[in-house]
Coordinates of all heavy atoms in Angstrom, one line a residue:
M5 N -2.9 32.5 -15.5 CA -1.6 33.1 -15.6 C -0.7 32.1 -16.4 O -0.8 30.9 -16.2 CB -1.0 33.2 -14.1 CG 0.3 33.9 -14.1 SD 0.7 34.4 -12.4 CE 1.8 33.2 -11.9
A6 N 0.1 32.6 -17.3 CA 0.9 31.9 -18.2 C 2.1 31.3 -17.4 O 2.6 31.9 -16.5 CB 1.4 32.7 -19.3
E7 N 2.4 30.1 -17.8 CA 3.6 29.4 -17.1 C 4.9 30.1 -17.6 O 5.1 30.3 -18.8 CB 3.6 27.9 -17.5 CG 4.7 27.2 -16.8 CD 4.7 25.7 -17.2 OE1 4.0 25.3 -18.1 OE2 5.3 24.9 -16.4
R8 N 5.7 30.4 -16.6 CA 7.0 30.9 -17.0 C 8.0 29.9 -17.5 O 8.1 28.8 -16.8 CB 7.6 31.7 -15.8 CG 6.8 32.9 -15.4 CD 7.4 33.7 -14.3 NE 8.7 34.1 -14.7 CZ 9.7 34.3 -13.8 NH1 9.5 34.2 -12.5 NH2 10.9 34.7 -14.2
L9 N 8.7 30.1 -18.6 CA 9.6 29.2 -19.1 C 11.0 29.8 -19.1 O 11.2 31.0 -18.9 CB 9.2 28.9 -20.6 CG 7.8 28.4 -20.8 CD1 7.5 28.2 -22.3 CD2 7.6 27.0 -20.1
K10 N 12.0 28.9 -19.1 CA 13.4 29.4 -19.0 C 14.2 28.5 -20.0 O 13.8 27.5 -20.5 CB 13.9 29.3 -17.6 CG 13.9 27.8 -17.1 CD 14.3 27.8 -15.6 CE 15.7 28.0 -15.3 NZ 16.1 27.9 -14.0
R11 N 15.5 29.0 -20.1 CA 16.5 28.3 -20.9 C 17.3 27.4 -20.0 O 17.7 27.8 -18.9 CB 17.4 29.2 -21.6 CG 16.7 30.0 -22.7 CD 17.6 30.9 -23.4 NE 16.9 31.6 -24.4 CZ 17.4 32.5 -25.2 NH1 18.7 32.8 -25.1 NH2 16.7 33.1 -26.1
V12 N 17.6 26.2 -20.4 CA 18.3 25.2 -19.6 C 19.4 24.6 -20.5 O 19.2 24.3 -21.6 CB 17.5 24.1 -19.0 CG1 18.3 23.1 -18.3 CG2 16.4 24.7 -18.2
T13 N 20.6 24.5 -19.9 CA 21.7 23.9 -20.6 C 22.1 22.6 -19.9 O 22.3 22.6 -18.7 CB 23.0 24.8 -20.7 OG1 22.6 26.0 -21.3 CG2 24.1 24.2 -21.4
V14 N 22.2 21.5 -20.6 CA 22.6 20.2 -20.1 C 23.7 19.7 -21.0 O 23.8 20.0 -22.1 CB 21.5 19.2 -19.9 CG1 20.4 19.7 -18.9 CG2 20.8 18.9 -21.3
S15 N 24.5 18.7 -20.4 CA 25.6 18.1 -21.1 C 25.3 16.6 -21.1 O 25.1 16.0 -20.0 CB 26.9 18.4 -20.4 OG 27.9 17.7 -21.1
V16 N 25.3 16.0 -22.3 CA 25.1 14.6 -22.5 C 26.2 14.1 -23.5 O 26.3 14.7 -24.5 CB 23.7 14.2 -23.0 CG1 23.6 12.7 -23.3 CG2 22.6 14.7 -22.0
A17 N 26.9 13.1 -23.1 CA 28.0 12.5 -23.9 C 29.0 13.6 -24.4 O 29.3 13.7 -25.6 CB 27.4 11.8 -25.1
D18 N 29.4 14.4 -23.5 CA 30.3 15.5 -23.8 C 29.8 16.5 -24.8 O 30.6 17.2 -25.4 CB 31.7 14.9 -24.2 CG 32.3 14.1 -23.1 OD1 32.2 14.5 -22.0 OD2 33.0 13.1 -23.4
C19 N 28.5 16.5 -25.0 CA 27.9 17.5 -25.9 C 27.0 18.4 -25.1 O 26.3 17.9 -24.2 CB 27.1 16.9 -27.1 SG 28.1 16.0 -28.2
T20 N 27.0 19.7 -25.4 CA 26.2 20.6 -24.6 C 24.9 20.9 -25.4 O 25.0 21.2 -26.6 CB 27.0 21.9 -24.4 OG1 28.1 21.6 -23.6 CG2 26.1 22.9 -23.5
Y21 N 23.8 20.9 -24.7 CA 22.5 21.1 -25.4 C 21.8 22.3 -24.6 O 21.7 22.3 -23.4 CB 21.7 19.9 -25.3 CG 22.2 18.7 -26.1 CD1 23.0 17.8 -25.4 CD2 22.0 18.6 -27.5 CE1 23.5 16.7 -26.1 CE2 22.6 17.5 -28.1 CZ 23.4 16.6 -27.5 OH 23.9 15.6 -28.1
R22 N 21.5 23.3 -25.4 CA 20.8 24.5 -24.9 C 19.3 24.3 -25.2 O 18.9 24.3 -26.4 CB 21.3 25.8 -25.4 CG 22.7 26.0 -24.8 CD 23.3 27.3 -25.5 NE 24.7 27.5 -25.0 CZ 25.8 26.9 -25.4 NH1 25.7 26.0 -26.4 NH2 26.9 27.2 -24.9
L23 N 18.4 24.2 -24.3 CA 17.0 24.0 -24.5 C 16.3 25.2 -24.1 O 16.6 25.8 -23.0 CB 16.5 22.8 -23.7 CG 17.3 21.5 -24.0 CD1 17.2 20.5 -22.8 CD2 16.8 20.9 -25.3
T24 N 15.4 25.6 -24.9 CA 14.5 26.8 -24.6 C 13.1 26.3 -24.2 O 12.8 25.2 -24.5 CB 14.5 27.8 -25.7 OG1 14.0 27.1 -26.9 CG2 15.9 28.4 -26.0
S25 N 12.4 27.2 -23.6 CA 11.0 26.9 -23.3 C 10.8 25.7 -22.4 O 10.0 24.8 -22.6 CB 10.2 26.6 -24.6 OG 10.3 27.7 -25.5
V26 N 11.6 25.6 -21.3 CA 11.6 24.6 -20.3 C 10.9 25.1 -19.1 O 11.3 26.2 -18.6 CB 13.0 24.1 -20.0 CG1 12.9 23.0 -18.8 CG2 13.7 23.5 -21.2
S27 N 9.9 24.4 -18.6 CA 9.2 24.9 -17.4 C 10.1 24.7 -16.2 O 11.0 23.8 -16.2 CB 7.9 24.1 -17.2 OG 8.1 22.8 -16.8
F28 N 9.8 25.4 -15.2 CA 10.6 25.3 -13.9 C 10.5 23.9 -13.4 O 11.4 23.4 -12.8 CB 10.2 26.4 -12.9 CG 10.8 27.7 -13.3 CD1 10.0 28.6 -14.0 CD2 12.0 28.1 -12.8 CE1 10.5 29.9 -14.3 CE2 12.5 29.4 -13.1 CZ 11.8 30.3 -13.9
Q29 N 9.3 23.3 -13.5 CA 9.1 22.0 -13.0 C 9.9 20.9 -13.7 O 10.5 20.0 -13.2 CB 7.6 21.6 -13.0 CG 6.7 22.4 -12.0 CD 6.3 23.7 -12.7 OE1 6.5 24.0 -13.8 NE2 5.6 24.6 -11.9
D30 N 10.0 21.1 -15.1 CA 10.6 20.2 -15.9 C 12.2 20.2 -15.8 O 12.9 19.3 -16.1 CB 10.2 20.3 -17.4 CG 8.8 19.7 -17.6 OD1 8.3 19.1 -16.7 OD2 8.3 20.0 -18.7
E31 N 12.7 21.4 -15.4 CA 14.1 21.6 -15.3 C 14.7 20.5 -14.4 O 15.8 19.9 -14.8 CB 14.5 22.9 -14.8 CG 16.0 23.2 -14.7 CD 16.4 24.5 -14.1 OE1 15.5 25.3 -13.6 OE2 17.6 24.8 -14.0
V32 N 14.2 20.2 -13.3 CA 14.7 19.2 -12.4 C 14.8 17.9 -13.0 O 15.8 17.2 -12.9 CB 13.8 19.1 -11.1 CG1 14.2 18.0 -10.2 CG2 13.8 20.5 -10.3
Y33 N 13.7 17.5 -13.7 CA 13.7 16.2 -14.4 C 14.7 16.1 -15.6 O 15.4 15.1 -15.8 CB 12.3 15.9 -14.9 CG 11.3 15.7 -13.9 CD1 10.3 16.6 -13.7 CD2 11.3 14.6 -13.0 CE1 9.3 16.5 -12.7 CE2 10.4 14.5 -12.0 CZ 9.4 15.4 -11.8 OH 8.5 15.3 -10.8
L34 N 14.8 17.2 -16.2 CA 15.7 17.3 -17.3 C 17.2 17.2 -16.9 O 18.0 16.4 -17.4 CB 15.6 18.6 -18.1 CG 16.4 18.9 -19.4 CD1 16.0 17.9 -20.4 CD2 16.1 20.3 -19.9
R35 N 17.6 17.9 -15.8 CA 18.9 17.8 -15.3 C 19.2 16.4 -14.7 O 20.3 15.8 -14.9 CB 19.2 18.9 -14.3 CG 19.2 20.2 -14.8 CD 19.6 21.3 -13.9 NE 19.6 22.6 -14.4 CZ 20.4 23.2 -15.3 NH1 21.4 22.5 -15.7 NH2 20.2 24.4 -15.7
E36 N 18.2 15.8 -14.0 CA 18.4 14.5 -13.4 C 18.5 13.4 -14.5 O 19.3 12.5 -14.5 CB 17.3 14.2 -12.5 CG 17.4 12.8 -11.8 CD 18.6 12.7 -10.8 OE1 19.3 13.7 -10.5 OE2 18.8 11.6 -10.3
G37 N 17.7 13.6 -15.5 CA 17.7 12.7 -16.7 C 19.1 12.7 -17.4 O 19.6 11.6 -17.7
A38 N 19.6 13.8 -17.6 CA 20.9 14.0 -18.3 C 22.0 13.4 -17.4 O 22.9 12.6 -17.9 CB 21.2 15.5 -18.5
R39 N 21.9 13.5 -16.1 CA 22.9 12.9 -15.2 C 22.8 11.4 -15.2 O 23.9 10.7 -15.4 CB 22.7 13.5 -13.8 CG 23.7 12.9 -12.7 CD 23.4 13.3 -11.3 NE 22.2 12.6 -10.8 CZ 22.2 11.3 -10.5 NH1 23.4 10.6 -10.5 NH2 21.1 10.7 -10.0
L40 N 21.6 10.9 -15.2 CA 21.5 9.4 -15.2 C 21.9 8.8 -16.5 O 22.5 7.8 -16.6 CB 20.0 9.0 -14.9 CG 19.6 9.3 -13.5 CD1 18.0 9.1 -13.4 CD2 20.3 8.4 -12.5
L41 N 21.6 9.5 -17.6 CA 22.0 9.1 -19.0 C 23.5 9.0 -19.1 O 24.1 8.0 -19.5 CB 21.4 10.0 -20.0 CG 21.6 9.6 -21.5 CD1 21.1 8.2 -21.8 CD2 21.0 10.6 -22.4
N42 N 24.2 10.0 -18.6 CA 25.6 10.1 -18.6 C 26.2 8.9 -17.8 O 27.2 8.3 -18.2 CB 26.2 11.4 -18.1 CG 26.1 12.5 -19.2 OD1 26.3 12.2 -20.3 ND2 25.7 13.7 -18.8
E43 N 25.6 8.7 -16.6 CA 26.1 7.6 -15.7 C 26.0 6.2 -16.4 O 26.9 5.4 -16.4 CB 25.4 7.6 -14.4 CG 25.8 8.6 -13.4 CD 25.0 8.6 -12.2 OE1 24.2 7.7 -12.0 OE2 25.2 9.5 -11.3
Q44 N 24.8 6.0 -17.0 CA 24.6 4.8 -17.8 C 25.5 4.6 -18.9 O 26.1 3.5 -19.2 CB 23.1 4.7 -18.2 CG 22.1 4.3 -17.2 CD 22.4 2.9 -16.6 OE1 23.0 2.8 -15.5 NE2 22.0 1.9 -17.3
M45 N 25.8 5.7 -19.6 CA 26.7 5.6 -20.8 C 28.1 5.3 -20.3 O 28.8 4.5 -20.9 CB 26.7 7.0 -21.6 CG 25.4 7.2 -22.3 SD 25.3 8.8 -23.1 CE 26.9 8.8 -24.0
Q46 N 28.5 5.9 -19.2 CA 29.9 5.6 -18.7 C 30.0 4.1 -18.3 O 31.0 3.5 -18.5 CB 30.2 6.5 -17.5 CG 30.4 8.0 -17.9 CD 30.5 8.9 -16.7 OE1 30.4 8.5 -15.6 NE2 30.7 10.2 -17.1
K47 N 28.9 3.6 -17.7 CA 28.9 2.2 -17.3 C 29.1 1.3 -18.5 O 30.0 0.4 -18.6 CB 27.6 1.8 -16.6 CG 27.5 0.4 -16.2 CD 26.2 0.0 -15.7 CE 25.4 -0.7 -16.8 NZ 24.2 -1.3 -16.5
Y48 N 28.4 1.6 -19.6 CA 28.5 0.8 -20.8 C 29.9 1.0 -21.5 O 30.4 0.0 -22.1 CB 27.4 1.0 -21.8 CG 26.1 0.3 -21.4 CD1 25.0 1.1 -21.0 CD2 26.0 -1.0 -21.4 CE1 23.8 0.5 -20.5 CE2 24.8 -1.7 -21.0 CZ 23.7 -0.9 -20.6 OH 22.6 -1.6 -20.2
Q49 N 30.4 2.1 -21.5 CA 31.7 2.4 -22.1 C 32.8 1.6 -21.3 O 33.8 1.1 -21.9 CB 32.1 3.9 -22.1 CG 31.2 4.5 -23.3 CD 31.5 6.0 -23.4 OE1 31.6 6.7 -22.4 NE2 31.7 6.5 -24.6
R50 N 32.7 1.5 -19.9 CA 33.6 0.8 -19.2 C 33.6 -0.7 -19.5 O 34.6 -1.4 -19.4 CB 33.4 1.0 -17.7 CG 33.9 2.3 -17.1 CD 33.9 2.3 -15.6 NE 32.5 2.1 -15.0 CZ 31.7 3.1 -14.8 NH1 31.9 4.3 -15.1 NH2 30.5 2.8 -14.2
E51 N 32.4 -1.1 -20.0 CA 32.2 -2.5 -20.4 C 32.6 -2.8 -21.8 O 32.5 -3.9 -22.2 CB 30.7 -2.9 -20.2 CG 30.3 -2.9 -18.7 CD 28.8 -3.2 -18.6 OE1 28.1 -3.4 -19.6 OE2 28.3 -3.2 -17.4
G52 N 33.2 -1.8 -22.5 CA 33.7 -1.9 -23.8 C 32.8 -1.5 -25.0 O 33.2 -1.7 -26.1
C53 N 31.7 -0.9 -24.7 CA 30.9 -0.4 -25.8 C 31.5 0.9 -26.3 O 32.1 1.7 -25.6 CB 29.5 -0.1 -25.3 SG 28.5 -1.5 -24.8
S54 N 31.3 1.1 -27.6 CA 31.6 2.4 -28.3 C 30.7 3.5 -27.7 O 29.6 3.2 -27.2 CB 31.4 2.3 -29.8 OG 30.1 2.3 -30.1
P55 N 31.0 4.7 -27.9 CA 30.2 5.8 -27.4 C 28.7 5.8 -28.0 O 27.7 5.9 -27.3 CB 30.8 7.1 -27.8 CG 32.3 6.8 -27.9 CD 32.3 5.3 -28.3
Q56 N 28.6 5.4 -29.2 CA 27.3 5.3 -29.9 C 26.5 4.1 -29.3 O 25.3 4.2 -29.0 CB 27.4 5.2 -31.4 CG 26.0 5.2 -32.0 CD 26.1 5.2 -33.5 OE1 27.1 5.4 -34.1 NE2 25.0 5.0 -34.2
E57 N 27.2 3.0 -29.1 CA 26.5 1.8 -28.5 C 26.1 2.1 -27.1 O 25.0 1.7 -26.6 CB 27.5 0.6 -28.5 CG 27.7 0.1 -29.9 CD 28.8 -1.0 -29.9 OE1 29.8 -0.9 -29.1 OE2 28.8 -1.9 -30.7
A58 N 27.0 2.8 -26.3 CA 26.7 3.1 -24.9 C 25.4 4.0 -24.9 O 24.6 3.8 -24.0 CB 27.9 3.8 -24.3
M59 N 25.4 5.0 -25.8 CA 24.2 5.9 -25.8 C 22.9 5.1 -26.1 O 21.9 5.3 -25.5 CB 24.4 7.1 -26.7 CG 23.2 8.1 -26.7 SD 23.4 9.5 -27.7 CE 24.5 10.4 -26.7
T60 N 23.0 4.2 -27.1 CA 21.9 3.4 -27.4 C 21.4 2.5 -26.3 O 20.3 2.5 -26.0 CB 22.2 2.6 -28.7 OG1 22.6 3.4 -29.8 CG2 21.0 1.7 -29.1
M61 N 22.4 1.9 -25.7 CA 22.0 1.0 -24.6 C 21.4 1.8 -23.4 O 20.5 1.3 -22.8 CB 23.2 0.2 -24.1 CG 23.7 -0.8 -25.2 SD 22.4 -2.0 -25.7 CE 22.1 -2.9 -24.2
A62 N 22.0 2.9 -23.1 CA 21.5 3.8 -22.0 C 20.1 4.3 -22.3 O 19.2 4.3 -21.4 CB 22.4 5.0 -21.8
A63 N 19.8 4.6 -23.6 CA 18.5 5.1 -23.9 C 17.5 3.9 -23.9 O 16.4 4.1 -23.4 CB 18.5 5.6 -25.4
L64 N 17.9 2.7 -24.2 CA 17.1 1.6 -24.1 C 16.8 1.2 -22.7 O 15.7 0.9 -22.3 CB 17.8 0.3 -24.8 CG 17.0 -0.9 -24.9 CD1 15.7 -0.7 -25.6 CD2 17.8 -2.0 -25.6
D65 N 17.8 1.3 -21.8 CA 17.6 1.1 -20.4 C 16.5 2.1 -19.9 O 15.6 1.8 -19.1 CB 18.9 1.3 -19.6 CG 19.8 0.2 -19.7 OD1 19.4 -0.9 -20.2 OD2 21.0 0.4 -19.3
G66 N 16.6 3.4 -20.3 CA 15.7 4.4 -19.9 C 14.2 4.1 -20.3 O 13.3 4.2 -19.6
M67 N 14.1 3.6 -21.5 CA 12.8 3.3 -22.1 C 12.2 2.0 -21.3 O 11.0 2.0 -21.0 CB 12.8 2.9 -23.6 CG 13.1 4.2 -24.4 SD 11.9 5.6 -24.1 CE 10.4 4.9 -24.4
V68 N 13.0 1.1 -21.0 CA 12.6 -0.1 -20.3 C 12.1 0.3 -18.9 O 11.0 -0.1 -18.4 CB 13.7 -1.2 -20.2 CG1 13.3 -2.3 -19.2 CG2 13.9 -1.8 -21.6
A69 N 12.8 1.2 -18.2 CA 12.5 1.7 -16.9 C 11.1 2.5 -17.0 O 10.3 2.3 -16.1 CB 13.5 2.6 -16.3
A70 N 10.9 3.3 -18.0 CA 9.7 4.0 -18.2 C 8.5 3.1 -18.4 O 7.4 3.3 -17.9 CB 9.9 5.0 -19.4
L71 N 8.7 2.0 -19.2 CA 7.6 1.1 -19.5 C 7.3 0.3 -18.2 O 6.1 0.1 -17.9 CB 8.0 0.1 -20.6 CG 8.1 0.8 -22.0 CD1 8.7 -0.2 -23.0 CD2 6.7 1.2 -22.4
K72 N 8.3 -0.1 -17.4 CA 8.0 -0.8 -16.2 C 7.2 0.1 -15.2 O 6.3 -0.3 -14.5 CB 9.3 -1.2 -15.5 CG 9.9 -2.4 -16.1 CD 11.2 -2.8 -15.4 CE 11.9 -4.0 -16.0 NZ 13.1 -4.4 -15.3
S73 N 7.7 1.4 -15.2 CA 7.0 2.4 -14.3 C 5.5 2.5 -14.7 O 4.6 2.6 -13.9 CB 7.7 3.7 -14.3 OG 7.1 4.6 -13.5
R74 N 5.3 2.6 -16.0 CA 3.9 2.8 -16.5 C 3.1 1.6 -16.1 O 2.0 1.7 -15.7 CB 3.9 3.0 -18.0 CG 2.5 3.2 -18.6 CD 2.5 3.2 -20.1 NE 2.8 1.8 -20.6 CZ 3.0 1.5 -21.8 NH1 3.0 2.4 -22.8 NH2 3.3 0.3 -22.2
D75 N 3.7 0.4 -16.3 CA 2.9 -0.9 -15.9 C 2.6 -0.9 -14.5 O 1.5 -1.3 -14.0 CB 3.7 -2.1 -16.4 CG 3.7 -2.3 -17.9 OD1 2.9 -1.7 -18.6 OD2 4.4 -3.2 -18.4
N76 N 3.6 -0.5 -13.6 CA 3.4 -0.5 -12.2 C 2.3 0.5 -11.8 O 1.5 0.1 -11.0 CB 4.7 -0.2 -11.4 CG 5.7 -1.3 -11.5 OD1 5.4 -2.4 -11.7 ND2 7.0 -0.9 -11.3
Y77 N 2.3 1.6 -12.5 CA 1.3 2.6 -12.2 C -0.1 2.1 -12.6 O -1.1 2.2 -11.8 CB 1.6 3.9 -13.0 CG 0.4 4.9 -12.9 CD1 0.3 5.7 -11.8 CD2 -0.4 5.1 -14.0 CE1 -0.8 6.6 -11.7 CE2 -1.5 6.0 -13.9 CZ -1.6 6.8 -12.8 OH -2.7 7.7 -12.8
E78 N -0.2 1.5 -13.7 CA -1.5 0.9 -14.2 C -2.0 -0.2 -13.3 O -3.2 -0.3 -13.0 CB -1.4 0.4 -15.6 CG -1.2 1.5 -16.6 CD -1.0 1.1 -18.1 OE1 -0.7 -0.2 -18.2 OE2 -0.9 1.9 -19.0
N79 N -1.0 -1.1 -12.8 CA -1.4 -2.1 -11.9 C -1.9 -1.6 -10.5 O -2.9 -2.0 -10.0 CB -0.3 -3.1 -11.6 CG 0.0 -3.9 -12.9 OD1 -0.8 -4.1 -13.8 ND2 1.3 -4.4 -13.0
L80 N -1.2 -0.5 -10.1 CA -1.6 0.1 -8.8 C -3.0 0.8 -9.0 O -3.9 0.7 -8.1 CB -0.6 1.1 -8.4 CG -0.8 1.9 -7.1 CD1 -1.0 0.9 -5.9 CD2 0.2 2.9 -6.8
Q81 N -3.2 1.4 -10.1 CA -4.4 2.1 -10.4 C -5.6 1.1 -10.4 O -6.7 1.3 -9.8 CB -4.3 2.8 -11.7 CG -5.5 3.8 -12.0 CD -5.2 4.5 -13.3 OE1 -4.6 4.0 -14.2 NE2 -5.8 5.7 -13.4
Q82 N -5.3 0.0 -11.0 CA -6.4 -1.1 -11.1 C -6.7 -1.7 -9.7 O -7.8 -1.9 -9.3 CB -5.9 -2.2 -12.0 CG -7.0 -3.3 -12.2 CD -6.5 -4.3 -13.3 OE1 -5.3 -4.5 -13.4 NE2 -7.4 -5.0 -13.9
A83 N -5.6 -1.9 -8.9 CA -5.8 -2.4 -7.5 C -6.6 -1.4 -6.7 O -7.5 -1.8 -5.9 CB -4.5 -2.7 -6.9
V84 N -6.3 -0.2 -6.8 CA -7.0 0.9 -6.0 C -8.5 0.9 -6.5 O -9.4 0.9 -5.7 CB -6.4 2.3 -6.2 CG1 -7.3 3.4 -5.6 CG2 -5.0 2.3 -5.5
F85 N -8.7 0.8 -7.8 CA -10.1 0.8 -8.3 C -10.9 -0.4 -7.7 O -12.0 -0.3 -7.3 CB -10.1 0.8 -9.8 CG -11.5 0.8 -10.4 CD1 -12.3 2.0 -10.4 CD2 -12.0 -0.4 -10.9 CE1 -13.6 1.9 -10.9 CE2 -13.3 -0.4 -11.4 CZ -14.1 0.7 -11.4
Q86 N -10.2 -1.5 -7.7 CA -10.9 -2.8 -7.2 C -11.2 -2.6 -5.7 O -12.3 -3.0 -5.3 CB -10.0 -4.0 -7.4 CG -9.9 -4.4 -8.9 CD -9.0 -5.5 -9.1 OE1 -8.1 -5.8 -8.3 NE2 -9.1 -6.1 -10.3
K87 N -10.3 -2.0 -5.0 CA -10.6 -1.8 -3.5 C -11.7 -0.9 -3.3 O -12.6 -1.1 -2.5 CB -9.3 -1.3 -2.8 CG -8.2 -2.2 -2.8 CD -8.4 -3.4 -1.9 CE -7.1 -4.3 -1.8 NZ -7.3 -5.5 -1.0
I88 N -11.8 0.2 -4.1 CA -12.8 1.2 -4.0 C -14.2 0.5 -4.3 O -15.2 0.7 -3.7 CB -12.6 2.4 -4.8 CG1 -11.4 3.2 -4.2 CG2 -13.8 3.3 -5.0 CD1 -10.9 4.4 -5.1
S89 N -14.2 -0.3 -5.4 CA -15.4 -1.0 -5.8 C -15.9 -1.9 -4.7 O -17.1 -2.0 -4.4 CB -15.2 -1.8 -7.1 OG -14.9 -0.9 -8.1
T90 N -14.9 -2.6 -4.1 CA -15.3 -3.5 -3.0 C -15.9 -2.8 -1.8 O -16.9 -3.2 -1.2 CB -14.0 -4.4 -2.5 OG1 -13.6 -5.1 -3.6 CG2 -14.4 -5.3 -1.4
L91 N -15.3 -1.6 -1.4 CA -15.8 -0.8 -0.3 C -17.2 -0.3 -0.7 O -18.0 -0.2 0.2 CB -14.8 0.3 0.0 CG -13.5 0.0 0.7 CD1 -12.6 1.2 0.7 CD2 -13.9 -0.5 2.1
D92 N -17.4 0.1 -1.9 CA -18.6 0.7 -2.4 C -19.7 -0.5 -2.2 O -20.8 -0.2 -1.7 CB -18.5 1.1 -3.8 CG -19.8 1.8 -4.3 OD1 -20.3 2.6 -3.6 OD2 -20.3 1.4 -5.4
E93 N -19.4 -1.6 -2.6 CA -20.3 -2.7 -2.5 C -20.7 -3.0 -1.1 O -21.8 -3.2 -0.7 CB -19.8 -4.0 -3.1 CG -19.8 -4.0 -4.6 CD -19.1 -5.2 -5.2 OE1 -18.9 -6.2 -4.5 OE2 -18.7 -5.1 -6.5
L94 N -19.7 -3.0 -0.2 CA -19.9 -3.2 1.3 C -20.8 -2.2 1.9 O -21.7 -2.5 2.6 CB -18.6 -3.4 2.0 CG -17.7 -4.6 1.7 CD1 -16.3 -4.5 2.3 CD2 -18.4 -5.9 2.2
L95 N -20.5 -0.9 1.5 CA -21.3 0.1 2.0 C -22.7 0.1 1.5 O -23.7 0.4 2.2 CB -20.7 1.5 1.7 CG -19.4 1.8 2.5 CD1 -18.7 3.1 1.9 CD2 -19.7 2.0 3.9
T96 N -22.9 -0.2 0.2 CA -24.2 -0.3 -0.3 C -25.0 -1.4 0.4 O -26.2 -1.2 0.6 CB -24.1 -0.6 -1.9 OG1 -23.4 0.5 -2.5 CG2 -25.5 -0.7 -2.5
D97 N -24.4 -2.5 0.6 CA -25.0 -3.6 1.3 C -25.4 -3.3 2.7 O -26.4 -3.7 3.2 CB -24.2 -4.9 1.3 CG -24.0 -5.5 -0.1 OD1 -24.8 -5.1 -1.0 OD2 -23.1 -6.3 -0.3
A98 N -24.5 -2.5 3.4 CA -24.8 -2.2 4.8 C -25.9 -1.1 4.9 O -26.6 -1.1 5.9 CB -23.5 -1.6 5.4
L99 N -26.2 -0.4 3.9 CA -27.2 0.6 4.0 C -28.5 0.0 3.5 O -29.6 0.3 3.8 CB -26.9 1.8 3.1 CG -25.6 2.6 3.5 CD1 -25.3 3.7 2.4 CD2 -25.8 3.2 4.8

């Protein structure tokens, strides 16, 4: 069955963006991402950044968070794999 897509409108930096072909699952992330981006931009503008600088810094913050999340996921995945390997060795020895 084909995934149903929809149109979504979000506002970032007082500009409205109409996106087509958005999955229902991605809509939640898209809206939350726009909200967080706007919050970060407002924070940087209160600190004296121009709108363009604020957008750049907010985007950079988002990329840093994504990279940290990726690293945490990879570390967790490696730890789980090590635990499974240890359990496998213990079970093999016990049998």
Side-chain angles (χ1 to χ4, degrees):
M5 186 162 104
E7 182 179 19
R8 292 186 55 209
L9 303 175
K10 63 186 286 187
R11 292 181 181 180
V12 175
T13 301
V14 295
S15 179
V16 175
D18 297 325
C19 293
T20 301
Y21 298 93
R22 289 176 184 81
L23 304 156
T24 58
S25 303
V26 175
S27 71
F28 284 91
Q29 295 85 4
D30 286 348
E31 179 184 6
V32 174
Y33 296 112
L34 186 61
R35 291 189 186 284
E36 182 68 6
R39 185 188 68 77
L40 292 172
L41 184 57
N42 282 320
E43 285 179 4
Q44 283 297 102
M45 288 175 55
Q46 289 170 359
K47 179 189 100 172
Y48 282 113
Q49 285 179 317
R50 284 191 302 272
E51 294 174 0
C53 289
S54 71
Q56 184 173 350
E57 291 171 327
M59 184 175 282
T60 301
M61 293 304 295
L64 185 58
D65 284 348
M67 290 307 301
V68 168
L71 290 170
K72 284 181 179 181
S73 179
R74 183 188 68 187
D75 286 348
N76 288 338
Y77 172 79
E78 289 172 355
N79 290 337
L80 179 61
Q81 190 177 30
Q82 185 178 25
V84 168
F85 179 76
Q86 288 173 344
K87 295 288 184 185
I88 290 172
S89 294
T90 301
L91 285 171
D92 184 53
E93 289 175 16
L94 291 170
L95 288 171
T96 300
D97 291 345
L99 297 175

